[in-house]
Amino acid sequence: MRVGLFIPCYVDQFYPGAAIATLQLLEKLGVDVTYPPDQTCCGQPMANSGFEHLTGGCNRLFIDNFSGFDYIVSPSGSCVLHIREHLHDEKREAEAKEISHKVWELTSFLTDVLKVQSLPSRFPYKVGVHQSCHGQRGLHLSSMTELVAPSFSKPGSLLAMVKDLELIELDRKDECCGFGGTFCVAEEAVSAKMGKDRVADHLRHGAEYITGADMSCLMHMEGILKRQGSQTKVLHIAEILNSQ
Amino acid sequence: MNTGTKDHAELAGIFNKDEDRVNWHDETLWWIRAKRDKIVHQLPEWEALRETASKIKFNVLGNMDTYLMEFEAAAKANGVTVHWAADAKEHNEIVHKLIAEQGVTQMVKSKSMLTEECHLNEYLATHGIEVIDSDLGERIVQLAGEPPSHIVLPCIHKKKEEIGDLFHMHLGTPSNMADPQFLTETARGSLRETFLTRKVALTGVNFAVAETGEFVVCTNEGNADMGAHLAKVHIACMGIEKLIPKREHLGVFLRLLTRSATGQPQTTYSSHFAKPRAGQEMHIVLVDNGRSVQLGREDFRNSLKCIRCGACMNTCPVYRRSGGHSYHTAVAGPIGSILAPNLDMKKYADLPFASTLCGSCSNVCPVKIDIHDQLYKWRQVLVKEGYAPTGKKIAMQVMAKTLASPTMYHAAGKMGRLTIKYAPFAVSNKLNPWYKERDMPSAPKESFGEWYAKNRK
Ligand code: SF4
């Protein structure tokens, strides 16, 4: 199985730790992982702002970098959802379609493809999980409170395999954190308020760490935690699953 | 966005100046959403009901012309006068004419978001006709001189103390009286007089049955019935999308509507109107006002399935923290943000951007409208039509170019990290909206790409 590692631009630049953990975790599980060095961004920042017509360059680059892999894995639900739903290229439509079917978010790749049953990790802290909307509602990484359906959580089932980790319950299980890409600056007031409320739910229940499958939401919440001078930290789920 | 007036972000910014109020607004609406969750989880067939409703409406939208003709014929056979209005102006004129014919200058109206959409009250006021809204919440915002901020809970943005002040000013209650029971009694008392004296009553329509020419009006206060039963003339105004094919389909929608709206199993009053009683006149105004245009927009057609339950607003994390008035349109929230640009793209170009695209709205919607996908699609349309601010356009072009080239991307990334590390004041300042309430991420010494090149080759 040949797996291409897709590391979104802002993770590459600001959160290399999440990317390294993703790589090491996959290697630990015996996966043959390659990181195509010329990758940049999935194009979502433009597309969600209404400029999908400017994403041709990103799309081409993505296809160039990720053609030929059996799977493409990424530690970001949001970027994966964007590729799944919007990757296209008039000249290479078939290739684009194939790639969009092969791209996986990390936790679902671990539970659904690798069918991981146990992990050698330990993380002795109280942890709150932030269910990012695109991962949860878009990629169905976990059940959604709005729907009448059985409950499940792919990130949750993986965290349950980590020794000494204590998962906390939240009052609002799947409320959006308010990041929303360019929404976070275009709608600064609402975005910041949503973030503050989201963080408060975790803090109220004693979270020492907030984790999730999407670094962008975590970055947003980290900004708020830091501004509040909080001791609580954010950590991408890959870093927890990869911890010893 | 260049809307000429204040846009959603600005209005939301103003609303957010009072954090306690935002908290209270958020918690009140969240409480309703939680109530909704609880009651829908009691129905194992909930998702099947949603699917059924969505399909019935799909059928209606695909055969609108047939059902409208069928409805008109049946209603006429029942002795109802049917009027057609192409737009808000025609709608208002028809209503005005019907009132004028009675030689009266006063009318009682039960809740109808369509008349809000058409700005009927303002129109009638300029023609010397006084409208009293009989829904308690609507009466309150009417006294306050404001539009409703929510389609089901029109005065959800008002605290009981503020309502007490309004009643003190307009209805002569003692000052500083905030007891809900007392305030409700007062409003009822004042409305009773209205019901007894008005010759003309206007109601909205929740569902109109093509097969029978009947329509159903749902209220919790019985105010639509009081108005319609006591008046000589009953005018019912409906958007053409309110049709359902058969009476048997009502069961599906009535089960979905109130559970989604307020978490109740049924509305207190689901009143069926078929024909005028002896001596009464009944009129139905069928209003298009942009609906057939939306029907023709394939990507947005589904928005016409909306049964106006308000669930998407209650669940919307943005709506809860920005308030209904920030949407500056009659129907606020996620669904309003899809419907409004259809009416006026320029004026409402900001609304599809007032969302994080979290998708919760689509999940609660009882008729399964793909709300968040439509918001995404509107963004593409609005930008293409030229409604993006120039600054944003340029930024996006630069970004697209940089991200399409690995060389430029790596250079820019390095520079970005260096800036944050060595010149944080360049980004961590008041001009950067991120920084207002959030710190910037710290800059690592190398990117993952750089680390990988060193460690895995
Ligand atoms: S869009 Fe759906 S959830 Fe929103 S008001 Fe309409 S029917 Fe209700």
Side-chain angles (χ1 to χ4, degrees), chain B residues 354-397:
Chain B
S355 164
T356 59
L357 305 181
C358 76
S360 185
C361 47
S362 306
N363 273 355
V364 292
C365 179
V367 287
K368 288 187 139 182
I369 300 172
D370 49 341
I371 305 175
H372 73 291
D373 286 332
Q374 292 192 36
L375 289 168
Y376 176 89
K377 286 174 184 162
W378 260 127
R379 294 179 184 189
Q380 314 307 327
V381 173
L382 291 163
V383 166
K384 279 219 175 117
E385 296 282 332
Y387 296 116
T390 318
K392 192 171 175 186
K393 227 185 292 180
I394 295 169
M396 285 293 154
Q397 276 158 355

mmCIF file of all heavy atoms in Angstrom, chain B residues 354-397:
data_model
loop_
_atom_site.group_PDB
_atom_site.id
_atom_site.type_symbol
_atom_site.label_atom_id
_atom_site.label_comp_id
_atom_site.label_asym_id
_atom_site.label_seq_id
_atom_site.Cartn_x
_atom_site.Cartn_y
_atom_site.Cartn_z
ATOM 1 N N ALA B 354 -22.005 35.037 5.850
ATOM 2 C CA ALA B 354 -22.209 35.088 7.295
ATOM 3 C C ALA B 354 -22.409 33.691 7.857
ATOM 4 O O ALA B 354 -23.406 33.402 8.522
ATOM 5 C CB ALA B 354 -23.404 35.979 7.619
ATOM 6 N N SER B 355 -21.497 32.802 7.566
ATOM 7 C CA SER B 355 -21.629 31.411 7.989
ATOM 8 C C SER B 355 -20.259 30.770 8.008
ATOM 9 O O SER B 355 -19.392 31.125 7.215
ATOM 10 C CB SER B 355 -22.523 30.662 6.985
ATOM 11 O OG SER B 355 -22.380 29.261 7.146
ATOM 12 N N THR B 356 -20.081 29.812 8.924
ATOM 13 C CA THR B 356 -18.826 29.064 8.914
ATOM 14 C C THR B 356 -18.969 27.800 8.063
ATOM 15 O O THR B 356 -18.048 27.005 7.984
ATOM 16 C CB THR B 356 -18.428 28.625 10.335
ATOM 17 O OG1 THR B 356 -19.473 27.804 10.867
ATOM 18 C CG2 THR B 356 -18.217 29.829 11.238
ATOM 19 N N LEU B 357 -20.122 27.623 7.453
ATOM 20 C CA LEU B 357 -20.432 26.418 6.672
ATOM 21 C C LEU B 357 -20.311 25.160 7.537
ATOM 22 O O LEU B 357 -19.851 24.129 7.078
ATOM 23 C CB LEU B 357 -19.520 26.304 5.439
ATOM 24 C CG LEU B 357 -19.495 27.505 4.486
ATOM 25 C CD1 LEU B 357 -18.559 27.231 3.303
ATOM 26 C CD2 LEU B 357 -20.895 27.822 3.962
ATOM 27 N N CYS B 358 -20.750 25.269 8.792
ATOM 28 C CA CYS B 358 -20.602 24.128 9.703
ATOM 29 C C CYS B 358 -21.567 23.006 9.352
ATOM 30 O O CYS B 358 -21.347 21.862 9.705
ATOM 31 C CB CYS B 358 -20.780 24.561 11.151
ATOM 32 S SG CYS B 358 -22.501 24.851 11.646
ATOM 33 N N GLY B 359 -22.667 23.339 8.686
ATOM 34 C CA GLY B 359 -23.565 22.286 8.208
ATOM 35 C C GLY B 359 -24.660 21.874 9.177
ATOM 36 O O GLY B 359 -25.499 21.031 8.849
ATOM 37 N N SER B 360 -24.704 22.464 10.344
ATOM 38 C CA SER B 360 -25.719 22.075 11.314
ATOM 39 C C SER B 360 -27.125 22.395 10.793
ATOM 40 O O SER B 360 -28.071 21.648 11.022
ATOM 41 C CB SER B 360 -25.463 22.789 12.647
ATOM 42 O OG SER B 360 -26.352 22.361 13.614
ATOM 43 N N CYS B 361 -27.243 23.491 10.068
ATOM 44 C CA CYS B 361 -28.547 23.899 9.508
ATOM 45 C C CYS B 361 -29.123 22.818 8.603
ATOM 46 O O CYS B 361 -30.301 22.480 8.692
ATOM 47 C CB CYS B 361 -28.409 25.222 8.752
ATOM 48 S SG CYS B 361 -27.003 25.304 7.623
ATOM 49 N N SER B 362 -28.286 22.269 7.733
ATOM 50 C CA SER B 362 -28.779 21.246 6.807
ATOM 51 C C SER B 362 -29.241 20.011 7.574
ATOM 52 O O SER B 362 -30.183 19.335 7.165
ATOM 53 C CB SER B 362 -27.683 20.851 5.807
ATOM 54 O OG SER B 362 -27.174 21.992 5.166
ATOM 55 N N ASN B 363 -28.571 19.727 8.689
ATOM 56 C CA ASN B 363 -28.932 18.552 9.483
ATOM 57 C C ASN B 363 -30.246 18.694 10.236
ATOM 58 O O ASN B 363 -30.933 17.704 10.450
ATOM 59 C CB ASN B 363 -27.837 18.262 10.515
ATOM 60 C CG ASN B 363 -26.742 17.389 9.959
ATOM 61 O OD1 ASN B 363 -26.833 16.923 8.828
ATOM 62 N ND2 ASN B 363 -25.703 17.181 10.733
ATOM 63 N N VAL B 364 -30.561 19.893 10.683
ATOM 64 C CA VAL B 364 -31.824 20.033 11.425
ATOM 65 C C VAL B 364 -33.004 20.279 10.496
ATOM 66 O O VAL B 364 -34.152 20.084 10.891
ATOM 67 C CB VAL B 364 -31.819 21.199 12.458
ATOM 68 C CG1 VAL B 364 -30.872 20.901 13.602
ATOM 69 C CG2 VAL B 364 -31.511 22.528 11.816
ATOM 70 N N CYS B 365 -32.743 20.715 9.287
ATOM 71 C CA CYS B 365 -33.831 21.115 8.397
ATOM 72 C C CYS B 365 -34.805 19.960 8.151
ATOM 73 O O CYS B 365 -34.428 18.908 7.651
ATOM 74 C CB CYS B 365 -33.267 21.608 7.069
ATOM 75 S SG CYS B 365 -34.581 22.089 5.931
ATOM 76 N N PRO B 366 -36.077 20.144 8.515
ATOM 77 C CA PRO B 366 -37.041 19.048 8.408
ATOM 78 C C PRO B 366 -37.346 18.650 6.963
ATOM 79 O O PRO B 366 -37.906 17.583 6.736
ATOM 80 C CB PRO B 366 -38.288 19.607 9.097
ATOM 81 C CG PRO B 366 -38.153 21.085 9.012
ATOM 82 C CD PRO B 366 -36.679 21.353 9.087
ATOM 83 N N VAL B 367 -37.019 19.528 6.010
ATOM 84 C CA VAL B 367 -37.260 19.156 4.617
ATOM 85 C C VAL B 367 -35.939 18.952 3.875
ATOM 86 O O VAL B 367 -35.896 18.940 2.647
ATOM 87 C CB VAL B 367 -38.143 20.195 3.888
ATOM 88 C CG1 VAL B 367 -39.586 20.088 4.356
ATOM 89 C CG2 VAL B 367 -37.637 21.607 4.101
ATOM 90 N N LYS B 368 -34.882 18.800 4.667
ATOM 91 C CA LYS B 368 -33.559 18.446 4.131
ATOM 92 C C LYS B 368 -33.037 19.387 3.042
ATOM 93 O O LYS B 368 -32.544 18.924 2.009
ATOM 94 C CB LYS B 368 -33.588 17.014 3.591
ATOM 95 C CG LYS B 368 -33.647 15.953 4.674
ATOM 96 C CD LYS B 368 -33.501 14.589 4.047
ATOM 97 C CE LYS B 368 -32.624 13.664 4.831
ATOM 98 N NZ LYS B 368 -32.463 12.370 4.202
ATOM 99 N N ILE B 369 -33.161 20.669 3.276
ATOM 100 C CA ILE B 369 -32.566 21.613 2.322
ATOM 101 C C ILE B 369 -31.051 21.606 2.545
ATOM 102 O O ILE B 369 -30.594 21.637 3.685
ATOM 103 C CB ILE B 369 -33.144 23.026 2.522
ATOM 104 C CG1 ILE B 369 -34.661 23.008 2.302
ATOM 105 C CG2 ILE B 369 -32.481 24.025 1.571
ATOM 106 C CD1 ILE B 369 -35.357 24.298 2.666
ATOM 107 N N ASP B 370 -30.310 21.553 1.443
ATOM 108 C CA ASP B 370 -28.841 21.542 1.531
ATOM 109 C C ASP B 370 -28.342 22.965 1.785
ATOM 110 O O ASP B 370 -27.610 23.544 0.977
ATOM 111 C CB ASP B 370 -28.255 20.981 0.232
ATOM 112 C CG ASP B 370 -28.846 21.639 -1.017
ATOM 113 O OD1 ASP B 370 -29.939 22.245 -0.925
ATOM 114 O OD2 ASP B 370 -28.203 21.579 -2.089
ATOM 115 N N ILE B 371 -28.736 23.501 2.924
ATOM 116 C CA ILE B 371 -28.524 24.927 3.179
ATOM 117 C C ILE B 371 -27.057 25.327 3.061
ATOM 118 O O ILE B 371 -26.719 26.280 2.359
ATOM 119 C CB ILE B 371 -29.057 25.322 4.581
ATOM 120 C CG1 ILE B 371 -30.530 24.907 4.722
ATOM 121 C CG2 ILE B 371 -28.893 26.820 4.816
ATOM 122 C CD1 ILE B 371 -31.112 25.136 6.096
ATOM 123 N N HIS B 372 -26.174 24.609 3.733
ATOM 124 C CA HIS B 372 -24.779 25.078 3.739
ATOM 125 C C HIS B 372 -24.124 24.934 2.366
ATOM 126 O O HIS B 372 -23.275 25.734 1.999
ATOM 127 C CB HIS B 372 -23.968 24.417 4.856
ATOM 128 C CG HIS B 372 -23.643 22.974 4.615
ATOM 129 N ND1 HIS B 372 -24.600 21.981 4.624
ATOM 130 C CD2 HIS B 372 -22.473 22.362 4.352
ATOM 131 C CE1 HIS B 372 -24.007 20.820 4.386
ATOM 132 N NE2 HIS B 372 -22.729 21.026 4.210
ATOM 133 N N ASP B 373 -24.569 23.948 1.605
ATOM 134 C CA ASP B 373 -24.024 23.837 0.239
ATOM 135 C C ASP B 373 -24.503 24.996 -0.637
ATOM 136 O O ASP B 373 -23.777 25.487 -1.491
ATOM 137 C CB ASP B 373 -24.454 22.513 -0.403
ATOM 138 C CG ASP B 373 -23.682 21.335 0.184
ATOM 139 O OD1 ASP B 373 -22.544 21.552 0.630
ATOM 140 O OD2 ASP B 373 -24.229 20.220 0.211
ATOM 141 N N GLN B 374 -25.743 25.407 -0.397
ATOM 142 C CA GLN B 374 -26.256 26.539 -1.176
ATOM 143 C C GLN B 374 -25.547 27.839 -0.797
ATOM 144 O O GLN B 374 -25.339 28.707 -1.636
ATOM 145 C CB GLN B 374 -27.768 26.681 -0.988
ATOM 146 C CG GLN B 374 -28.539 25.530 -1.621
ATOM 147 C CD GLN B 374 -30.030 25.811 -1.705
ATOM 148 O OE1 GLN B 374 -30.451 26.933 -1.936
ATOM 149 N NE2 GLN B 374 -30.827 24.777 -1.522
ATOM 150 N N LEU B 375 -25.187 27.956 0.473
ATOM 151 C CA LEU B 375 -24.430 29.143 0.893
ATOM 152 C C LEU B 375 -23.098 29.191 0.153
ATOM 153 O O LEU B 375 -22.670 30.234 -0.351
ATOM 154 C CB LEU B 375 -24.185 29.120 2.408
ATOM 155 C CG LEU B 375 -25.416 29.353 3.288
ATOM 156 C CD1 LEU B 375 -25.120 29.027 4.739
ATOM 157 C CD2 LEU B 375 -25.911 30.794 3.156
ATOM 158 N N TYR B 376 -22.461 28.038 0.076
ATOM 159 C CA TYR B 376 -21.185 27.940 -0.658
ATOM 160 C C TYR B 376 -21.391 28.333 -2.126
ATOM 161 O O TYR B 376 -20.625 29.098 -2.692
ATOM 162 C CB TYR B 376 -20.656 26.503 -0.544
ATOM 163 C CG TYR B 376 -19.388 26.236 -1.344
ATOM 164 C CD1 TYR B 376 -18.134 26.456 -0.786
ATOM 165 C CD2 TYR B 376 -19.456 25.766 -2.663
ATOM 166 C CE1 TYR B 376 -16.977 26.217 -1.517
ATOM 167 C CE2 TYR B 376 -18.303 25.532 -3.391
ATOM 168 C CZ TYR B 376 -17.062 25.753 -2.825
ATOM 169 O OH TYR B 376 -15.924 25.524 -3.561
ATOM 170 N N LYS B 377 -22.463 27.828 -2.711
ATOM 171 C CA LYS B 377 -22.711 28.113 -4.135
ATOM 172 C C LYS B 377 -23.044 29.586 -4.367
ATOM 173 O O LYS B 377 -22.632 30.165 -5.368
ATOM 174 C CB LYS B 377 -23.841 27.226 -4.651
ATOM 175 C CG LYS B 377 -23.390 25.785 -4.841
ATOM 176 C CD LYS B 377 -24.563 24.885 -5.211
ATOM 177 C CE LYS B 377 -24.139 23.428 -5.299
ATOM 178 N NZ LYS B 377 -25.305 22.532 -5.235
ATOM 179 N N TRP B 378 -23.797 30.174 -3.440
ATOM 180 C CA TRP B 378 -24.094 31.615 -3.582
ATOM 181 C C TRP B 378 -22.806 32.438 -3.573
ATOM 182 O O TRP B 378 -22.663 33.425 -4.278
ATOM 183 C CB TRP B 378 -25.006 32.107 -2.452
ATOM 184 C CG TRP B 378 -26.461 32.238 -2.836
ATOM 185 C CD1 TRP B 378 -27.512 31.685 -2.169
ATOM 186 C CD2 TRP B 378 -27.043 32.967 -3.933
ATOM 187 N NE1 TRP B 378 -28.702 32.025 -2.793
ATOM 188 C CE2 TRP B 378 -28.432 32.800 -3.870
ATOM 189 C CE3 TRP B 378 -26.505 33.738 -4.979
ATOM 190 C CZ2 TRP B 378 -29.311 33.386 -4.802
ATOM 191 C CZ3 TRP B 378 -27.373 34.315 -5.907
ATOM 192 C CH2 TRP B 378 -28.755 34.134 -5.813
ATOM 193 N N ARG B 379 -21.855 32.031 -2.731
ATOM 194 C CA ARG B 379 -20.591 32.762 -2.682
ATOM 195 C C ARG B 379 -19.937 32.796 -4.055
ATOM 196 O O ARG B 379 -19.451 33.838 -4.494
ATOM 197 C CB ARG B 379 -19.634 32.110 -1.668
ATOM 198 C CG ARG B 379 -20.136 32.219 -0.245
ATOM 199 C CD ARG B 379 -19.187 31.552 0.734
ATOM 200 N NE ARG B 379 -19.766 31.598 2.071
ATOM 201 C CZ ARG B 379 -19.118 31.265 3.187
ATOM 202 N NH1 ARG B 379 -17.873 30.847 3.105
ATOM 203 N NH2 ARG B 379 -19.716 31.346 4.355
ATOM 204 N N GLN B 380 -19.952 31.655 -4.719
ATOM 205 C CA GLN B 380 -19.330 31.598 -6.053
ATOM 206 C C GLN B 380 -20.071 32.519 -7.015
ATOM 207 O O GLN B 380 -19.455 33.246 -7.788
ATOM 208 C CB GLN B 380 -19.333 30.163 -6.602
ATOM 209 C CG GLN B 380 -18.882 29.069 -5.632
ATOM 210 C CD GLN B 380 -17.531 29.330 -5.003
ATOM 211 O OE1 GLN B 380 -16.643 29.910 -5.622
ATOM 212 N NE2 GLN B 380 -17.362 28.933 -3.753
ATOM 213 N N VAL B 381 -21.409 32.470 -6.951
ATOM 214 C CA VAL B 381 -22.212 33.298 -7.862
ATOM 215 C C VAL B 381 -21.952 34.774 -7.596
ATOM 216 O O VAL B 381 -21.695 35.555 -8.516
ATOM 217 C CB VAL B 381 -23.726 32.995 -7.678
ATOM 218 C CG1 VAL B 381 -24.577 33.958 -8.488
ATOM 219 C CG2 VAL B 381 -24.034 31.553 -8.077
ATOM 220 N N LEU B 382 -21.967 35.160 -6.335
ATOM 221 C CA LEU B 382 -21.836 36.584 -5.988
ATOM 222 C C LEU B 382 -20.472 37.134 -6.388
ATOM 223 O O LEU B 382 -20.371 38.257 -6.889
ATOM 224 C CB LEU B 382 -22.084 36.778 -4.486
ATOM 225 C CG LEU B 382 -23.544 36.530 -4.080
ATOM 226 C CD1 LEU B 382 -23.665 36.319 -2.579
ATOM 227 C CD2 LEU B 382 -24.431 37.684 -4.539
ATOM 228 N N VAL B 383 -19.434 36.339 -6.183
ATOM 229 C CA VAL B 383 -18.100 36.799 -6.577
ATOM 230 C C VAL B 383 -18.044 36.951 -8.091
ATOM 231 O O VAL B 383 -17.551 37.953 -8.613
ATOM 232 C CB VAL B 383 -17.014 35.829 -6.062
ATOM 233 C CG1 VAL B 383 -15.677 36.092 -6.739
ATOM 234 C CG2 VAL B 383 -16.876 35.961 -4.546
ATOM 235 N N LYS B 384 -18.571 35.974 -8.802
ATOM 236 C CA LYS B 384 -18.559 36.047 -10.274
ATOM 237 C C LYS B 384 -19.365 37.232 -10.783
ATOM 238 O O LYS B 384 -19.041 37.837 -11.800
ATOM 239 C CB LYS B 384 -19.120 34.747 -10.857
ATOM 240 C CG LYS B 384 -18.089 33.647 -10.880
ATOM 241 C CD LYS B 384 -18.193 32.812 -12.157
ATOM 242 C CE LYS B 384 -17.069 31.793 -12.221
ATOM 243 N NZ LYS B 384 -17.549 30.427 -12.204
ATOM 244 N N GLU B 385 -20.434 37.568 -10.071
ATOM 245 C CA GLU B 385 -21.264 38.693 -10.499
ATOM 246 C C GLU B 385 -20.638 40.032 -10.109
ATOM 247 O O GLU B 385 -21.225 41.082 -10.335
ATOM 248 C CB GLU B 385 -22.670 38.585 -9.885
ATOM 249 C CG GLU B 385 -23.463 37.370 -10.343
ATOM 250 C CD GLU B 385 -24.064 37.527 -11.743
ATOM 251 O OE1 GLU B 385 -24.334 38.669 -12.148
ATOM 252 O OE2 GLU B 385 -24.236 36.494 -12.433
ATOM 253 N N GLY B 386 -19.480 39.963 -9.449
ATOM 254 C CA GLY B 386 -18.750 41.195 -9.159
ATOM 255 C C GLY B 386 -19.068 41.840 -7.823
ATOM 256 O O GLY B 386 -18.791 43.019 -7.625
ATOM 257 N N TYR B 387 -19.631 41.075 -6.875
ATOM 258 C CA TYR B 387 -19.992 41.684 -5.592
ATOM 259 C C TYR B 387 -18.948 41.487 -4.491
ATOM 260 O O TYR B 387 -19.231 41.697 -3.325
ATOM 261 C CB TYR B 387 -21.360 41.173 -5.127
ATOM 262 C CG TYR B 387 -22.474 41.578 -6.051
ATOM 263 C CD1 TYR B 387 -23.206 40.633 -6.757
ATOM 264 C CD2 TYR B 387 -22.763 42.928 -6.248
ATOM 265 C CE1 TYR B 387 -24.214 41.011 -7.633
ATOM 266 C CE2 TYR B 387 -23.765 43.314 -7.120
ATOM 267 C CZ TYR B 387 -24.492 42.355 -7.800
ATOM 268 O OH TYR B 387 -25.479 42.733 -8.662
ATOM 269 N N ALA B 388 -17.728 41.088 -4.880
ATOM 270 C CA ALA B 388 -16.679 40.963 -3.865
ATOM 271 C C ALA B 388 -15.944 42.293 -3.749
ATOM 272 O O ALA B 388 -15.689 42.941 -4.757
ATOM 273 C CB ALA B 388 -15.711 39.855 -4.259
ATOM 274 N N PRO B 389 -15.597 42.713 -2.536
ATOM 275 C CA PRO B 389 -14.836 43.956 -2.399
ATOM 276 C C PRO B 389 -13.471 43.833 -3.093
ATOM 277 O O PRO B 389 -12.885 42.746 -3.117
ATOM 278 C CB PRO B 389 -14.636 44.086 -0.879
ATOM 279 C CG PRO B 389 -15.511 43.070 -0.245
ATOM 280 C CD PRO B 389 -15.847 42.046 -1.265
ATOM 281 N N THR B 390 -12.997 44.940 -3.633
ATOM 282 C CA THR B 390 -11.752 44.923 -4.409
ATOM 283 C C THR B 390 -10.583 44.360 -3.602
ATOM 284 O O THR B 390 -9.799 43.557 -4.107
ATOM 285 C CB THR B 390 -11.411 46.349 -4.873
ATOM 286 O OG1 THR B 390 -12.624 46.952 -5.298
ATOM 287 C CG2 THR B 390 -10.417 46.340 -6.015
ATOM 288 N N GLY B 391 -10.472 44.782 -2.357
ATOM 289 C CA GLY B 391 -9.352 44.322 -1.528
ATOM 290 C C GLY B 391 -9.309 42.808 -1.428
ATOM 291 O O GLY B 391 -8.251 42.188 -1.562
ATOM 292 N N LYS B 392 -10.472 42.236 -1.234
ATOM 293 C CA LYS B 392 -10.565 40.788 -1.094
ATOM 294 C C LYS B 392 -10.191 40.103 -2.411
ATOM 295 O O LYS B 392 -9.493 39.095 -2.427
ATOM 296 C CB LYS B 392 -11.994 40.433 -0.704
ATOM 297 C CG LYS B 392 -12.182 38.999 -0.250
ATOM 298 C CD LYS B 392 -13.583 38.850 0.309
ATOM 299 C CE LYS B 392 -13.922 37.426 0.670
ATOM 300 N NZ LYS B 392 -15.321 37.303 1.064
ATOM 301 N N LYS B 393 -10.654 40.719 -3.500
ATOM 302 C CA LYS B 393 -10.376 40.154 -4.819
ATOM 303 C C LYS B 393 -8.865 40.078 -5.056
ATOM 304 O O LYS B 393 -8.337 39.055 -5.474
ATOM 305 C CB LYS B 393 -11.036 41.036 -5.895
ATOM 306 C CG LYS B 393 -11.806 40.239 -6.929
ATOM 307 C CD LYS B 393 -12.352 41.111 -8.043
ATOM 308 C CE LYS B 393 -13.445 42.062 -7.625
ATOM 309 N NZ LYS B 393 -13.998 42.909 -8.653
ATOM 310 N N ILE B 394 -8.188 41.184 -4.757
ATOM 311 C CA ILE B 394 -6.740 41.232 -4.975
ATOM 312 C C ILE B 394 -6.038 40.222 -4.073
ATOM 313 O O ILE B 394 -5.197 39.441 -4.518
ATOM 314 C CB ILE B 394 -6.210 42.661 -4.723
ATOM 315 C CG1 ILE B 394 -6.797 43.616 -5.772
ATOM 316 C CG2 ILE B 394 -4.678 42.686 -4.775
ATOM 317 C CD1 ILE B 394 -6.561 45.071 -5.496
ATOM 318 N N ALA B 395 -6.435 40.206 -2.797
ATOM 319 C CA ALA B 395 -5.815 39.267 -1.851
ATOM 320 C C ALA B 395 -5.962 37.831 -2.340
ATOM 321 O O ALA B 395 -5.016 37.037 -2.293
ATOM 322 C CB ALA B 395 -6.449 39.427 -0.475
ATOM 323 N N MET B 396 -7.142 37.517 -2.851
ATOM 324 C CA MET B 396 -7.398 36.149 -3.306
ATOM 325 C C MET B 396 -6.558 35.813 -4.543
ATOM 326 O O MET B 396 -6.082 34.693 -4.692
ATOM 327 C CB MET B 396 -8.889 35.975 -3.617
ATOM 328 C CG MET B 396 -9.738 35.872 -2.373
ATOM 329 S SD MET B 396 -9.377 34.360 -1.462
ATOM 330 C CE MET B 396 -9.845 34.829 0.189
ATOM 331 N N GLN B 397 -6.407 36.804 -5.406
ATOM 332 C CA GLN B 397 -5.600 36.554 -6.605
ATOM 333 C C GLN B 397 -4.141 36.293 -6.229
ATOM 334 O O GLN B 397 -3.511 35.360 -6.741
ATOM 335 C CB GLN B 397 -5.719 37.739 -7.570
ATOM 336 C CG GLN B 397 -6.961 37.631 -8.455
ATOM 337 C CD GLN B 397 -7.409 38.953 -9.021
ATOM 338 O OE1 GLN B 397 -6.847 40.008 -8.695
ATOM 339 N NE2 GLN B 397 -8.422 38.932 -9.871
#
